[in-house]
Amino acid sequence: GAVVSQHPSRVICKSGTSVKIECRSLDFQATTMFWYRQFPKKSLMLMATSNEGSKATYEQGVEKDKFLINHASLTLSTLTVTSAHPEDSSFYICSARDIRDSEETQYFGPGTRLLVL
Amino acid sequence: AQTVTQSQPEMSVQEAETVTLSCTYDTSENNYYLFWYKQPPSRQMILVIRQEAYKQQNATENRFSVNFQKAAKSFSLKISDSQLGDTAMYFCAFRNTQGGSEKLVFGKGTKLTVNP
């Protein structure tokens, strides 16, 4: 149980284009999902908290107009990197919290590697 | 603000031996969750073990156990009978239970290598 998937696993795009990354909870419902960014050999940096049916909460320094988050259902959240630039190249990881889990553990997706040329 | 410190950037251990990874944190809260996550070369984050601060008993999961010292704000991870598959980055993480924040605060990680 508690499986989270991400799609795509890796994507290469041209500078100036937009890229959408999906995060799905496969066997549980998640009112809250989280988006992280991880640079090579570094820790995870929380970008935003995605809440089903409402606006995402962004961390300080994260541009909400550049990193669009939509959480339209209890099993799906999407992150769209708009007008991507080479500095947006990174590893993006989502996590989801099972609403039935009283200990509120976050389960992580396998990540999406984004390369902007 | 809460902070999590992992003072060992890298560690190595021989297969079948025991290794302990350190983690300290800073908070003014009384109740919270602590986690250890493992990130192997595949980069999939895997939950290793979790501990609630109000529980005095140290959590254990098979070969993994923690030494939770609340007063010292210390949460170390002990891996017994180390296996080659334990080679990974290990992240200690903190989460508040108060104020509605569900954010995980991560340490910088410890790279563990298990040698044959």
Side-chain angles (χ1 to χ4, degrees):
Chain A
V3 177
V4 177
S5 71
Q6 277 184 246
H7 178 79
S9 58
R10 57 180 64 189
V11 56
I12 301 173
C13 69
K14 293 182 179 180
S15 186
T17 61
S18 294
V19 174
K20 180 185 285 189
I21 303 170
E22 293 185 348
C23 177
R24 292 182 186 273
S25 56
L26 297 185
D27 51 359
F28 65 97
Q29 293 182 324
T31 53
T32 307
M33 292 185 174
F34 304 86
W35 288 96
Y36 296 85
R37 184 171 180 177
Q38 186 179 30
F39 291 102
K41 299 183 180 180
K42 298 291 183 184
S43 189
L44 281 71
M45 181 190 78
L46 179 66
M47 298 175 66
T49 301
S50 170
N51 302 296
E52 188 266 337
S54 65
K55 292 182 179 180
T57 304
Y58 290 81
E59 293 301 299
Q60 192 173 10
V62 178
E63 299 176 58
K64 60 182 180 182
D65 294 330
K66 180 166 185 62
F67 298 99
L68 299 178
I69 291 172
N70 183 273
H71 192 155
S73 78
L74 287 173
T75 59
L76 173 65
S77 175
T78 60
L79 168 68
T80 301
V81 183
T82 62
S83 186
H85 290 283
E87 57 265 31
D88 299 323
S89 298
S90 191
F91 193 66
Y92 293 88
I93 307 175
C94 73
S95 71
R97 185 175 74 75
D98 188 340
I99 60 175
R100 303 164 303 175
D101 182 355
S102 61
E103 295 187 336
E104 304 180 2
T105 300
Q106 289 184 27
Y107 298 94
F108 286 81
T112 296
R113 189 182 304 276
L114 170 63
L115 177 61
V116 185
L117 301 176
Chain B
Q2 288 84 15
T3 58
V4 176
T5 302
Q6 293 179 248
S7 59
Q8 306 150 315
E10 294 191 37
M11 291 194 71
S12 62
V13 64
Q14 291 299 121
E15 196 175 6
E17 294 188 347
T18 296
V19 64
T20 299
L21 308 183
S22 301
C23 173
T24 58
Y25 57 94
D26 187 26
T27 183
S28 59
E29 300 298 331
N30 189 48
N31 199 21
Y32 43 85
Y33 294 101
L34 294 162
F35 303 86
W36 278 99
Y37 282 92
K38 166 185 177 181
Q39 188 179 41
S42 67
R43 303 191 77 173
Q44 168 76 60
M45 293 285 284
I46 301 166
L47 175 67
V48 175
I49 201 164
R50 64 186 169 197
Q51 174 90 39
E52 277 196 79
Y54 75 86
K55 292 184 178 178
Q56 293 185 339
Q57 188 171 7
N58 288 327
T60 63
E61 287 289 343
N62 301 314
R63 298 182 295 108
F64 299 89
S65 62
V66 297
N67 183 5
F68 173 47
Q69 300 290 327
K70 191 173 183 180
K73 295 180 183 176
S74 171
F75 183 62
S76 61
L77 174 69
K78 185 171 84 170
I79 306 175
S80 304
D81 185 26
S82 297
Q83 301 176 358
L84 297 178
D86 295 333
T87 292
M89 282 290 292
Y90 286 81
F91 293 99
C92 179
F94 170 101
R95 186 174 100 63
N96 232 337
T97 60
Q98 305 294 331
S101 173
E102 300 183 52
K103 293 195 297 185
L104 278 175
V105 178
F106 285 92
K108 292 187 175 181
T110 296
K111 182 180 180 182
L112 176 67
T113 301
V114 179
N115 298 308

